[in-house]
Amino acid sequence: MLQYIETTGKNEEEAINAALRKLGLDRDEVSVEVLERAKSGFLGIGGSPAKVKVTYEVPDEPAPKAAESKVEEPKAETIQAEAPKAQPVKEEAPAAPVSQPKTEPDTQAAESAPAGDRAEAITTFLTGLMAHMGVSAAPRIAMGEDGSYKVTLEGENLGALIGRRGETLDAIQQLTSYSVNRGQSKRVRIHVDAEGYRAKREESLERLARKVAGKVVKYRRNVTLEPMNAYERHVIHTALQDYPDVTTYSTGTEPNRRTVVAYSKGEHRN
């Protein structure tokens, strides 16, 4: 389900950053549409701030059922979605009273686990997902300096997991994030990669961004890039966030949203 907020700022970047701070999200998790460009006015009079619309996605949840049922019920549904192997445990619980109290605390622990224990939930979900997809791949998890989880899918012939321009890999990353963060009070960022695709694609996009920015400054004309997904647009935004006399913003609707590299005299200059 898509939701959005509108924010303003002295320029487009400040308006976008204000929205990200309010949502607690990162640039690659949202889509940005510039509603109004900032106007300086004359001698400081008549100016107007930039206004942006920031759209973000939240998982669909059956709110009525959650309100009527106990806390344990939606947690049990999540466990079934993440790890189909948990179903036999539920069947054995009535026949073995001793194992029943063990199952309930384990379920609660999986749902309310602190950030440091999310690795197990990530491994469980991805292992089950790979089995359903019929792909022989195992997740290897490392912690990033920013507290995010860097997941590398290891195996042979993983091209099917990447898909066209990383679309399948993006979908796997989104599903993993929804599954692991659902029901948690604190979200964690999860990056999923395979065969070094992310790093290779980032290098290619960064080179493209710098090349286009150079042309924008030289000819003082805005350039609209080809349609990209949220992750790729984030790479462009990040690569040019400190580039002198250049600003970036996204326009259009998915799946045809594009990044605009715009000339902005004096931008990012001290």
Side-chain angles (χ1 to χ4, degrees), residues 18-39:
L20 295 178
R21 287 193 299 270
K22 186 172 182 180
L23 295 173
L25 299 175
D26 294 304
R27 187 70 172 259
D28 59 341
E29 297 178 289
V30 302
S31 295
V32 179
E33 178 181 357
V34 177
L35 301 177
E36 297 178 14
R37 301 295 299 271
K39 298 179 182 178

Side-chain angles (χ1 to χ4, degrees), residues 134-150:
V135 178
S136 179
R140 178 172 58 84
I141 304 174
M143 291 296 297
E145 294 181 359
D146 58 353
S148 62
Y149 288 80
K150 310 289 186 180

Side-chain angles (χ1 to χ4, degrees), residues 15 43-44 54 108 141 148 175 179 184 204 212 221 223 227 255-256:
L43 298 178
V54 176
Q108 295 174 357
I141 304 174
S148 62
L175 288 172
S179 175
Q184 300 291 339
S204 175
V212 170
R221 293 181 179 177
V223 174
N256 296 313

Side-chain angles (χ1 to χ4, degrees), residues 115 127 135 193 263:
T127 300
V135 178
D193 195 6
Y263 177 71

Side-chain angles (χ1 to χ4, degrees), residues 58-265:
V58 295
D60 296 328
E61 295 186 7
K65 292 183 180 180
E68 296 172 3
S69 58
K70 296 181 180 179
V71 177
E72 291 80 357
E73 292 178 359
K75 294 177 180 177
E77 291 174 2
T78 303
I79 294 300
Q80 290 176 4
E82 295 177 4
K85 295 180 181 180
Q87 293 177 356
V89 177
K90 294 180 66 179
E91 295 175 1
E92 294 174 3
V98 177
S99 62
Q100 185 172 0
K102 291 182 181 179
T103 303
E104 294 177 356
D106 288 345
T107 302
Q108 295 174 357
E111 291 297 328
S112 60
D117 295 337
R118 304 278 177 92
E120 183 178 352
I122 294 172
T123 300
T124 300
F125 177 80
L126 285 175
T127 300
L129 182 61
M130 294 301 100
H132 281 296
M133 295 178 68
V135 178
S136 179
R140 178 172 58 84
I141 304 174
M143 291 296 297
E145 294 181 359
D146 58 353
S148 62
Y149 288 80
K150 310 289 186 180
V151 184
T152 302
L153 296 174
E154 297 182 334
E156 297 182 359
N157 302 319
L158 301 183
L161 293 182
I162 298 173
R164 179 179 177 273
R165 304 178 75 178
E167 291 177 354
T168 304
L169 197 60
D170 289 338
I172 292 173
Q173 179 172 290
Q174 267 195 327
L175 288 172
T176 306
S177 180
Y178 287 160
S179 175
V180 174
N181 285 312
R182 185 181 181 185
Q184 300 291 339
S185 58
K186 183 179 179 181
R187 287 172 50 90
V188 295
R189 292 189 64 193
I190 301 172
H191 301 273
V192 180
D193 195 6
E195 295 185 344
Y197 171 80
R198 300 287 193 195
K200 296 174 185 175
R201 182 60 175 162
E202 282 183 16
E203 290 177 3
S204 175
L205 290 172
E206 287 170 355
R207 286 195 300 269
L208 172 66
R210 289 190 292 268
K211 181 179 179 181
V212 170
K215 291 183 177 179
V216 167
V217 173
K218 181 178 180 179
Y219 298 107
R220 300 190 176 187
R221 293 181 179 177
N222 298 354
V223 174
T224 302
L225 302 178
E226 61 183 347
M228 297 181 182
N229 59 36
Y231 158 71
E232 293 175 332
R233 295 195 302 270
H234 169 71
V235 174
I236 299 294
H237 292 311
T238 302
L240 300 180
Q241 63 182 358
D242 296 322
Y243 200 100
D245 299 327
V246 164
T247 187
T248 61
Y249 60 90
S250 297
T251 183
T253 57
E254 300 290 1
N256 296 313
R257 281 187 67 78
R258 302 166 181 261
T259 297
V260 178
V261 182
Y263 177 71
S264 180
K265 186 176 181 180

